[in-house]
Amino acid sequence: MSALVPGDYVIRPIRAEEWPAVKELRLRALRDPLAHLAYLETYDAAVCRPDAYWQERAAGAAEGASGARQIVAEGPGGQWLGTLTVLMEEAGTTDWAGFPVERRQGHVVGVFVRPEWRGSGLAKALFDAGLEWAWGSGAERVRLIVHEDNGRAQGFYRKAGFAPSGRTVPTAGRPEERELEFVVER
């Protein structure tokens, strides 16, 4: 999966020992002006987590892990420019929102691209790599959840091949708000 792509960055899975970079990029994402629409976690909660949390998070989605894969775009000098994670959800289980999982599926979470790299094609490259991993891991479909007010993200997800499924989920901690499920079938 380590391939040079246009824009002078490399798309690759993280390694478990890179947990400090996982932490740094996640905290940066949680400071984004749209973080309240994009993430269920807050910066204040995340910054207080112990190193052991970040080590486990990285190990669980690193190269070689089977239940999840975090992918990064690494730029010149090793700076991480963007990331996404695909979680595998097994048929017969219940997802985080309490809905039954009917088929083996990937669930894209934690999407973030540094503002100066938005519009460069980097997000598309991350999604291509995430979908490739999900299909190679036996996913029958891949989904993501996006806030109803996050129009910019919805537009990108449509361009990446995802479409609304019609399922809505109340936003955690804000039941008056909705999130929309978008899916792409294999």
Side-chain angles (χ1 to χ4, degrees):
M1 188 178 299
S2 291
L4 205 53
V5 292
D8 200 22
Y9 49 82
V10 175
I11 303 295
R12 65 171 182 82
I14 66 163
R15 294 180 288 274
E17 66 271 12
E18 294 177 312
W19 67 267
V22 169
K23 177 181 178 179
E24 187 278 328
L25 195 59
R26 178 65 174 187
L27 293 176
R28 180 173 296 277
L30 293 171
R31 288 190 303 263
D32 189 87
L34 292 179
H36 68 286
L37 295 179
Y39 308 108
L40 299 177
E41 181 178 40
T42 66
Y43 175 84
D44 290 339
V47 76
C48 294
R49 294 189 186 276
D51 288 349
Y53 169 84
W54 298 103
Q55 291 164 356
E56 288 175 29
R57 182 180 177 123
E63 188 169 37
S66 61
R69 175 64 47 92
Q70 183 173 357
I71 297 164
V72 294
E74 184 177 15
Q79 182 185 44
W80 286 9
L81 310 175
T83 187
L84 67 71
T85 300
V86 181
L87 309 174
M88 291 307 294
E89 298 175 329
E90 300 298 334
T93 63
T94 303
D95 72 8
W96 63 275
F99 292 108
V101 176
E102 297 170 3
R103 307 183 269 171
R104 182 172 172 81
Q105 62 189 14
H107 186 160
V108 176
V109 298
V111 177
F112 176 72
V113 172
R114 290 179 186 267
E116 63 272 21
W117 284 87
R118 293 176 187 161
S120 70
L122 187 143
K124 175 81 166 83
L126 286 167
F127 267 79
D128 289 347
L131 288 172
E132 178 184 331
W133 180 80
W135 302 142
S137 297
E140 296 177 40
R141 74 178 198 148
V142 175
R143 71 179 187 146
L144 54 84
I145 306 294
V146 59
H147 194 280
E148 63 188 345
D149 293 337
N150 196 343
R152 183 183 75 196
Q154 288 180 44
F156 171 77
Y157 298 147
R158 288 176 195 274
K159 281 194 238 177
F162 288 77
S165 70
R167 177 176 279 173
T168 61
V169 180
T171 302
R174 300 180 300 230
E176 70 283 358
E177 298 177 25
R178 296 270 171 244
E179 296 195 89
L180 313 173
E181 180 187 65
F182 276 53
V183 300
V184 62
E185 301 286 336
R186 182 167 174 103

mmCIF file of all heavy atoms in Angstrom, residues 108 111 123-124 127-128 131 142-168 179-185:
data_model
loop_
_atom_site.group_PDB
_atom_site.id
_atom_site.type_symbol
_atom_site.label_atom_id
_atom_site.label_comp_id
_atom_site.label_asym_id
_atom_site.label_seq_id
_atom_site.Cartn_x
_atom_site.Cartn_y
_atom_site.Cartn_z
ATOM 1 N N VAL A 108 -15.952 3.815 7.989
ATOM 2 C CA VAL A 108 -14.930 4.853 7.932
ATOM 3 C C VAL A 108 -15.172 5.859 9.054
ATOM 4 O O VAL A 108 -16.285 6.381 9.206
ATOM 5 C CB VAL A 108 -14.942 5.577 6.562
ATOM 6 C CG1 VAL A 108 -13.942 6.729 6.550
ATOM 7 C CG2 VAL A 108 -14.667 4.598 5.435
ATOM 8 N N VAL A 111 -11.871 10.797 9.815
ATOM 9 C CA VAL A 111 -11.335 11.418 8.603
ATOM 10 C C VAL A 111 -10.851 12.829 8.943
ATOM 11 O O VAL A 111 -11.573 13.628 9.532
ATOM 12 C CB VAL A 111 -12.409 11.490 7.499
ATOM 13 C CG1 VAL A 111 -11.865 12.200 6.267
ATOM 14 C CG2 VAL A 111 -12.941 10.101 7.162
ATOM 15 N N ALA A 123 -7.469 13.581 0.185
ATOM 16 C CA ALA A 123 -8.594 12.852 0.794
ATOM 17 C C ALA A 123 -9.046 11.705 -0.101
ATOM 18 O O ALA A 123 -9.332 10.598 0.382
ATOM 19 C CB ALA A 123 -9.759 13.800 1.085
ATOM 20 N N LYS A 124 -9.095 11.929 -1.389
ATOM 21 C CA LYS A 124 -9.477 10.866 -2.329
ATOM 22 C C LYS A 124 -8.489 9.710 -2.252
ATOM 23 O O LYS A 124 -8.877 8.540 -2.244
ATOM 24 C CB LYS A 124 -9.547 11.441 -3.746
ATOM 25 C CG LYS A 124 -9.819 10.410 -4.823
ATOM 26 C CD LYS A 124 -11.281 10.056 -4.925
ATOM 27 C CE LYS A 124 -11.628 9.295 -6.182
ATOM 28 N NZ LYS A 124 -11.386 7.871 -6.136
ATOM 29 N N PHE A 127 -9.179 7.763 0.891
ATOM 30 C CA PHE A 127 -10.380 6.947 0.738
ATOM 31 C C PHE A 127 -10.130 5.753 -0.177
ATOM 32 O O PHE A 127 -10.595 4.650 0.109
ATOM 33 C CB PHE A 127 -11.562 7.789 0.230
ATOM 34 C CG PHE A 127 -12.407 8.323 1.344
ATOM 35 C CD1 PHE A 127 -12.006 9.440 2.057
ATOM 36 C CD2 PHE A 127 -13.590 7.701 1.701
ATOM 37 C CE1 PHE A 127 -12.773 9.924 3.105
ATOM 38 C CE2 PHE A 127 -14.366 8.177 2.750
ATOM 39 C CZ PHE A 127 -13.956 9.296 3.450
ATOM 40 N N ASP A 128 -9.400 5.956 -1.256
ATOM 41 C CA ASP A 128 -9.085 4.836 -2.149
ATOM 42 C C ASP A 128 -8.346 3.738 -1.393
ATOM 43 O O ASP A 128 -8.658 2.551 -1.527
ATOM 44 C CB ASP A 128 -8.254 5.303 -3.339
ATOM 45 C CG ASP A 128 -9.052 6.140 -4.332
ATOM 46 O OD1 ASP A 128 -10.303 6.184 -4.256
ATOM 47 O OD2 ASP A 128 -8.405 6.763 -5.204
ATOM 48 N N LEU A 131 -10.772 2.011 1.140
ATOM 49 C CA LEU A 131 -11.691 1.096 0.460
ATOM 50 C C LEU A 131 -10.958 -0.153 -0.021
ATOM 51 O O LEU A 131 -11.475 -1.266 0.105
ATOM 52 C CB LEU A 131 -12.379 1.797 -0.703
ATOM 53 C CG LEU A 131 -13.427 2.835 -0.312
ATOM 54 C CD1 LEU A 131 -13.902 3.613 -1.539
ATOM 55 C CD2 LEU A 131 -14.610 2.199 0.403
ATOM 56 N N VAL A 142 -19.119 -0.498 2.549
ATOM 57 C CA VAL A 142 -18.422 0.395 3.463
ATOM 58 C C VAL A 142 -19.358 1.561 3.732
ATOM 59 O O VAL A 142 -20.053 2.032 2.832
ATOM 60 C CB VAL A 142 -17.079 0.888 2.874
ATOM 61 C CG1 VAL A 142 -16.415 1.907 3.790
ATOM 62 C CG2 VAL A 142 -16.147 -0.294 2.618
ATOM 63 N N ARG A 143 -19.378 1.992 4.979
ATOM 64 C CA ARG A 143 -20.261 3.091 5.349
ATOM 65 C C ARG A 143 -19.511 4.124 6.167
ATOM 66 O O ARG A 143 -18.394 3.901 6.617
ATOM 67 C CB ARG A 143 -21.448 2.563 6.150
ATOM 68 C CG ARG A 143 -21.055 2.111 7.537
ATOM 69 C CD ARG A 143 -22.247 1.625 8.293
ATOM 70 N NE ARG A 143 -21.914 1.333 9.670
ATOM 71 C CZ ARG A 143 -22.743 1.515 10.673
ATOM 72 N NH1 ARG A 143 -23.968 1.970 10.456
ATOM 73 N NH2 ARG A 143 -22.386 1.211 11.894
ATOM 74 N N LEU A 144 -20.164 5.248 6.342
ATOM 75 C CA LEU A 144 -19.691 6.292 7.229
ATOM 76 C C LEU A 144 -20.897 7.057 7.716
ATOM 77 O O LEU A 144 -21.991 6.948 7.143
ATOM 78 C CB LEU A 144 -18.678 7.204 6.527
ATOM 79 C CG LEU A 144 -19.100 7.847 5.209
ATOM 80 C CD1 LEU A 144 -19.890 9.132 5.432
ATOM 81 C CD2 LEU A 144 -17.882 8.133 4.375
ATOM 82 N N ILE A 145 -20.718 7.785 8.772
ATOM 83 C CA ILE A 145 -21.787 8.594 9.353
ATOM 84 C C ILE A 145 -21.335 10.047 9.283
ATOM 85 O O ILE A 145 -20.207 10.370 9.666
ATOM 86 C CB ILE A 145 -22.051 8.188 10.821
ATOM 87 C CG1 ILE A 145 -22.315 6.681 10.958
ATOM 88 C CG2 ILE A 145 -23.186 9.011 11.418
ATOM 89 C CD1 ILE A 145 -23.577 6.179 10.295
ATOM 90 N N VAL A 146 -22.211 10.923 8.790
ATOM 91 C CA VAL A 146 -21.861 12.335 8.626
ATOM 92 C C VAL A 146 -22.995 13.199 9.178
ATOM 93 O O VAL A 146 -24.169 12.892 8.992
ATOM 94 C CB VAL A 146 -21.561 12.665 7.138
ATOM 95 C CG1 VAL A 146 -22.743 12.367 6.240
ATOM 96 C CG2 VAL A 146 -21.083 14.098 6.972
ATOM 97 N N HIS A 147 -22.626 14.261 9.869
ATOM 98 C CA HIS A 147 -23.613 15.169 10.467
ATOM 99 C C HIS A 147 -24.434 15.825 9.362
ATOM 100 O O HIS A 147 -23.902 16.200 8.311
ATOM 101 C CB HIS A 147 -22.905 16.234 11.312
ATOM 102 C CG HIS A 147 -23.829 16.979 12.205
ATOM 103 N ND1 HIS A 147 -24.613 18.018 11.759
ATOM 104 C CD2 HIS A 147 -24.117 16.828 13.521
ATOM 105 C CE1 HIS A 147 -25.332 18.493 12.762
ATOM 106 N NE2 HIS A 147 -25.048 17.783 13.857
ATOM 107 N N GLU A 148 -25.722 15.988 9.618
ATOM 108 C CA GLU A 148 -26.633 16.573 8.630
ATOM 109 C C GLU A 148 -26.215 17.979 8.208
ATOM 110 O O GLU A 148 -26.532 18.417 7.102
ATOM 111 C CB GLU A 148 -28.066 16.589 9.179
ATOM 112 C CG GLU A 148 -28.251 17.459 10.416
ATOM 113 C CD GLU A 148 -29.622 17.318 11.075
ATOM 114 O OE1 GLU A 148 -30.541 16.769 10.444
ATOM 115 O OE2 GLU A 148 -29.760 17.767 12.227
ATOM 116 N N ASP A 149 -25.495 18.705 9.058
ATOM 117 C CA ASP A 149 -25.086 20.072 8.744
ATOM 118 C C ASP A 149 -23.689 20.164 8.135
ATOM 119 O O ASP A 149 -23.208 21.263 7.862
ATOM 120 C CB ASP A 149 -25.132 20.941 10.006
ATOM 121 C CG ASP A 149 -26.546 21.143 10.526
ATOM 122 O OD1 ASP A 149 -27.500 21.005 9.732
ATOM 123 O OD2 ASP A 149 -26.694 21.428 11.733
ATOM 124 N N ASN A 150 -23.022 19.033 7.935
ATOM 125 C CA ASN A 150 -21.666 19.054 7.391
ATOM 126 C C ASN A 150 -21.717 18.860 5.871
ATOM 127 O O ASN A 150 -21.373 17.819 5.331
ATOM 128 C CB ASN A 150 -20.793 17.987 8.064
ATOM 129 C CG ASN A 150 -19.320 18.210 7.833
ATOM 130 O OD1 ASN A 150 -18.923 18.953 6.944
ATOM 131 N ND2 ASN A 150 -18.496 17.553 8.641
ATOM 132 N N GLY A 151 -22.175 19.898 5.197
ATOM 133 C CA GLY A 151 -22.371 19.839 3.755
ATOM 134 C C GLY A 151 -21.088 19.621 2.968
ATOM 135 O O GLY A 151 -21.079 18.921 1.964
ATOM 136 N N ARG A 152 -19.990 20.220 3.429
ATOM 137 C CA ARG A 152 -18.719 20.049 2.723
ATOM 138 C C ARG A 152 -18.323 18.575 2.699
ATOM 139 O O ARG A 152 -17.964 18.029 1.658
ATOM 140 C CB ARG A 152 -17.632 20.884 3.390
ATOM 141 C CG ARG A 152 -16.286 20.807 2.652
ATOM 142 C CD ARG A 152 -15.196 21.572 3.367
ATOM 143 N NE ARG A 152 -14.784 20.785 4.522
ATOM 144 C CZ ARG A 152 -14.089 21.248 5.532
ATOM 145 N NH1 ARG A 152 -13.743 22.506 5.579
ATOM 146 N NH2 ARG A 152 -13.746 20.467 6.528
ATOM 147 N N ALA A 153 -18.411 17.915 3.848
ATOM 148 C CA ALA A 153 -18.061 16.492 3.917
ATOM 149 C C ALA A 153 -19.026 15.654 3.081
ATOM 150 O O ALA A 153 -18.597 14.758 2.345
ATOM 151 C CB ALA A 153 -18.062 16.013 5.360
ATOM 152 N N GLN A 154 -20.312 15.950 3.155
ATOM 153 C CA GLN A 154 -21.277 15.191 2.358
ATOM 154 C C GLN A 154 -20.956 15.292 0.865
ATOM 155 O O GLN A 154 -21.036 14.297 0.140
ATOM 156 C CB GLN A 154 -22.696 15.695 2.613
ATOM 157 C CG GLN A 154 -23.237 15.314 3.978
ATOM 158 C CD GLN A 154 -24.634 15.833 4.189
ATOM 159 O OE1 GLN A 154 -25.475 15.740 3.297
ATOM 160 N NE2 GLN A 154 -24.908 16.369 5.373
ATOM 161 N N GLY A 155 -20.591 16.482 0.409
ATOM 162 C CA GLY A 155 -20.248 16.661 -0.995
ATOM 163 C C GLY A 155 -19.049 15.820 -1.388
ATOM 164 O O GLY A 155 -19.039 15.175 -2.447
ATOM 165 N N PHE A 156 -18.027 15.801 -0.536
ATOM 166 C CA PHE A 156 -16.859 14.982 -0.837
ATOM 167 C C PHE A 156 -17.222 13.502 -0.850
ATOM 168 O O PHE A 156 -16.798 12.764 -1.739
ATOM 169 C CB PHE A 156 -15.719 15.222 0.165
ATOM 170 C CG PHE A 156 -14.621 14.217 -0.032
ATOM 171 C CD1 PHE A 156 -13.732 14.354 -1.089
ATOM 172 C CD2 PHE A 156 -14.538 13.098 0.773
ATOM 173 C CE1 PHE A 156 -12.756 13.396 -1.319
ATOM 174 C CE2 PHE A 156 -13.576 12.130 0.549
ATOM 175 C CZ PHE A 156 -12.674 12.281 -0.499
ATOM 176 N N TYR A 157 -17.997 13.048 0.137
ATOM 177 C CA TYR A 157 -18.339 11.629 0.208
ATOM 178 C C TYR A 157 -19.111 11.185 -1.027
ATOM 179 O O TYR A 157 -18.890 10.092 -1.540
ATOM 180 C CB TYR A 157 -19.126 11.319 1.481
ATOM 181 C CG TYR A 157 -18.353 11.610 2.764
ATOM 182 C CD1 TYR A 157 -19.008 12.046 3.904
ATOM 183 C CD2 TYR A 157 -16.965 11.464 2.818
ATOM 184 C CE1 TYR A 157 -18.306 12.312 5.072
ATOM 185 C CE2 TYR A 157 -16.259 11.742 3.981
ATOM 186 C CZ TYR A 157 -16.932 12.160 5.110
ATOM 187 O OH TYR A 157 -16.235 12.423 6.262
ATOM 188 N N ARG A 158 -19.979 12.041 -1.522
ATOM 189 C CA ARG A 158 -20.694 11.717 -2.772
ATOM 190 C C ARG A 158 -19.705 11.565 -3.929
ATOM 191 O O ARG A 158 -19.805 10.641 -4.723
ATOM 192 C CB ARG A 158 -21.735 12.785 -3.092
ATOM 193 C CG ARG A 158 -22.943 12.755 -2.184
ATOM 194 C CD ARG A 158 -23.884 13.928 -2.508
ATOM 195 N NE ARG A 158 -24.856 14.160 -1.479
ATOM 196 C CZ ARG A 158 -26.033 13.545 -1.382
ATOM 197 N NH1 ARG A 158 -26.374 12.641 -2.262
ATOM 198 N NH2 ARG A 158 -26.867 13.833 -0.404
ATOM 199 N N LYS A 159 -18.746 12.493 -4.019
ATOM 200 C CA LYS A 159 -17.744 12.406 -5.088
ATOM 201 C C LYS A 159 -16.898 11.147 -4.955
ATOM 202 O O LYS A 159 -16.411 10.624 -5.959
ATOM 203 C CB LYS A 159 -16.827 13.637 -5.065
ATOM 204 C CG LYS A 159 -17.442 14.859 -5.683
ATOM 205 C CD LYS A 159 -16.364 15.908 -5.921
ATOM 206 C CE LYS A 159 -16.738 17.170 -5.182
ATOM 207 N NZ LYS A 159 -15.746 18.213 -5.283
ATOM 208 N N ALA A 160 -16.711 10.671 -3.731
ATOM 209 C CA ALA A 160 -15.909 9.462 -3.490
ATOM 210 C C ALA A 160 -16.718 8.185 -3.735
ATOM 211 O O ALA A 160 -16.200 7.088 -3.543
ATOM 212 C CB ALA A 160 -15.363 9.480 -2.059
ATOM 213 N N GLY A 161 -17.998 8.338 -4.136
ATOM 214 C CA GLY A 161 -18.799 7.159 -4.479
ATOM 215 C C GLY A 161 -19.806 6.731 -3.441
ATOM 216 O O GLY A 161 -20.534 5.760 -3.642
ATOM 217 N N PHE A 162 -19.878 7.429 -2.322
ATOM 218 C CA PHE A 162 -20.830 7.090 -1.262
ATOM 219 C C PHE A 162 -22.175 7.757 -1.553
ATOM 220 O O PHE A 162 -22.225 8.823 -2.156
ATOM 221 C CB PHE A 162 -20.322 7.567 0.097
ATOM 222 C CG PHE A 162 -19.171 6.763 0.640
ATOM 223 C CD1 PHE A 162 -17.886 6.942 0.141
ATOM 224 C CD2 PHE A 162 -19.367 5.835 1.644
ATOM 225 C CE1 PHE A 162 -16.821 6.204 0.630
ATOM 226 C CE2 PHE A 162 -18.310 5.091 2.147
ATOM 227 C CZ PHE A 162 -17.044 5.272 1.636
ATOM 228 N N ALA A 163 -23.240 7.114 -1.103
ATOM 229 C CA ALA A 163 -24.592 7.662 -1.277
ATOM 230 C C ALA A 163 -25.364 7.490 0.025
ATOM 231 O O ALA A 163 -25.142 6.532 0.767
ATOM 232 C CB ALA A 163 -25.314 6.934 -2.410
ATOM 233 N N PRO A 164 -26.293 8.404 0.309
ATOM 234 C CA PRO A 164 -27.101 8.260 1.518
ATOM 235 C C PRO A 164 -27.892 6.951 1.484
ATOM 236 O O PRO A 164 -28.460 6.591 0.449
ATOM 237 C CB PRO A 164 -28.050 9.463 1.480
ATOM 238 C CG PRO A 164 -27.420 10.426 0.528
ATOM 239 C CD PRO A 164 -26.647 9.607 -0.459
ATOM 240 N N SER A 165 -27.928 6.254 2.613
ATOM 241 C CA SER A 165 -28.679 4.993 2.694
ATOM 242 C C SER A 165 -30.124 5.234 3.118
ATOM 243 O O SER A 165 -30.947 4.343 2.986
ATOM 244 C CB SER A 165 -28.022 4.051 3.712
ATOM 245 O OG SER A 165 -28.206 4.553 5.039
ATOM 246 N N GLY A 166 -30.393 6.418 3.673
ATOM 247 C CA GLY A 166 -31.711 6.699 4.209
ATOM 248 C C GLY A 166 -31.771 6.512 5.718
ATOM 249 O O GLY A 166 -32.722 6.938 6.359
ATOM 250 N N ARG A 167 -30.765 5.876 6.306
ATOM 251 C CA ARG A 167 -30.724 5.676 7.764
ATOM 252 C C ARG A 167 -30.180 6.938 8.424
ATOM 253 O O ARG A 167 -29.204 7.519 7.976
ATOM 254 C CB ARG A 167 -29.838 4.492 8.105
ATOM 255 C CG ARG A 167 -29.699 4.290 9.626
ATOM 256 C CD ARG A 167 -28.899 3.066 9.949
ATOM 257 N NE ARG A 167 -29.790 1.910 9.830
ATOM 258 C CZ ARG A 167 -29.384 0.658 9.922
ATOM 259 N NH1 ARG A 167 -28.119 0.374 10.113
ATOM 260 N NH2 ARG A 167 -30.249 -0.327 9.811
ATOM 261 N N THR A 168 -30.845 7.360 9.491
ATOM 262 C CA THR A 168 -30.364 8.490 10.283
ATOM 263 C C THR A 168 -30.114 8.006 11.707
ATOM 264 O O THR A 168 -30.729 7.045 12.171
ATOM 265 C CB THR A 168 -31.362 9.657 10.305
ATOM 266 O OG1 THR A 168 -32.583 9.221 10.900
ATOM 267 C CG2 THR A 168 -31.628 10.186 8.905
ATOM 268 N N GLU A 179 -27.457 12.531 12.282
ATOM 269 C CA GLU A 179 -26.341 12.171 11.420
ATOM 270 C C GLU A 179 -26.883 11.222 10.367
ATOM 271 O O GLU A 179 -27.852 10.486 10.612
ATOM 272 C CB GLU A 179 -25.213 11.540 12.223
ATOM 273 C CG GLU A 179 -24.640 12.544 13.226
ATOM 274 C CD GLU A 179 -23.323 12.123 13.785
ATOM 275 O OE1 GLU A 179 -22.307 12.476 13.155
ATOM 276 O OE2 GLU A 179 -23.308 11.476 14.828
ATOM 277 N N LEU A 180 -26.274 11.250 9.205
ATOM 278 C CA LEU A 180 -26.752 10.466 8.059
ATOM 279 C C LEU A 180 -25.736 9.371 7.747
ATOM 280 O O LEU A 180 -24.525 9.608 7.753
ATOM 281 C CB LEU A 180 -26.900 11.372 6.843
ATOM 282 C CG LEU A 180 -27.631 12.697 7.074
ATOM 283 C CD1 LEU A 180 -27.551 13.567 5.818
ATOM 284 C CD2 LEU A 180 -29.070 12.442 7.478
ATOM 285 N N GLU A 181 -26.254 8.178 7.427
ATOM 286 C CA GLU A 181 -25.387 7.105 6.983
ATOM 287 C C GLU A 181 -25.221 7.201 5.475
ATOM 288 O O GLU A 181 -26.197 7.323 4.745
ATOM 289 C CB GLU A 181 -25.983 5.744 7.352
ATOM 290 C CG GLU A 181 -25.110 4.574 6.918
ATOM 291 C CD GLU A 181 -25.773 3.239 7.122
ATOM 292 O OE1 GLU A 181 -26.807 2.966 6.465
ATOM 293 O OE2 GLU A 181 -25.242 2.451 7.926
ATOM 294 N N PHE A 182 -23.974 7.163 5.018
ATOM 295 C CA PHE A 182 -23.644 7.090 3.590
ATOM 296 C C PHE A 182 -22.962 5.753 3.374
ATOM 297 O O PHE A 182 -22.194 5.293 4.223
ATOM 298 C CB PHE A 182 -22.676 8.221 3.207
ATOM 299 C CG PHE A 182 -23.317 9.534 2.900
ATOM 300 C CD1 PHE A 182 -24.190 10.150 3.774
ATOM 301 C CD2 PHE A 182 -23.007 10.196 1.718
ATOM 302 C CE1 PHE A 182 -24.758 11.377 3.490
ATOM 303 C CE2 PHE A 182 -23.570 11.430 1.426
ATOM 304 C CZ PHE A 182 -24.451 12.028 2.303
ATOM 305 N N VAL A 183 -23.237 5.103 2.226
ATOM 306 C CA VAL A 183 -22.662 3.783 1.956
ATOM 307 C C VAL A 183 -22.143 3.701 0.527
ATOM 308 O O VAL A 183 -22.570 4.443 -0.356
ATOM 309 C CB VAL A 183 -23.680 2.647 2.186
ATOM 310 C CG1 VAL A 183 -24.178 2.639 3.608
ATOM 311 C CG2 VAL A 183 -24.850 2.740 1.219
ATOM 312 N N VAL A 184 -21.233 2.767 0.329
ATOM 313 C CA VAL A 184 -20.803 2.363 -1.004
ATOM 314 C C VAL A 184 -20.791 0.834 -0.973
ATOM 315 O O VAL A 184 -20.323 0.227 -0.020
ATOM 316 C CB VAL A 184 -19.435 2.958 -1.404
ATOM 317 C CG1 VAL A 184 -18.318 2.512 -0.503
ATOM 318 C CG2 VAL A 184 -19.112 2.636 -2.844
ATOM 319 N N GLU A 185 -21.399 0.247 -1.982
ATOM 320 C CA GLU A 185 -21.472 -1.207 -2.084
ATOM 321 C C GLU A 185 -20.274 -1.717 -2.862
ATOM 322 O O GLU A 185 -19.748 -1.042 -3.738
ATOM 323 C CB GLU A 185 -22.763 -1.631 -2.799
ATOM 324 C CG GLU A 185 -24.040 -1.166 -2.126
ATOM 325 C CD GLU A 185 -24.388 -1.915 -0.853
ATOM 326 O OE1 GLU A 185 -23.934 -3.074 -0.687
ATOM 327 O OE2 GLU A 185 -25.097 -1.338 -0.005
#
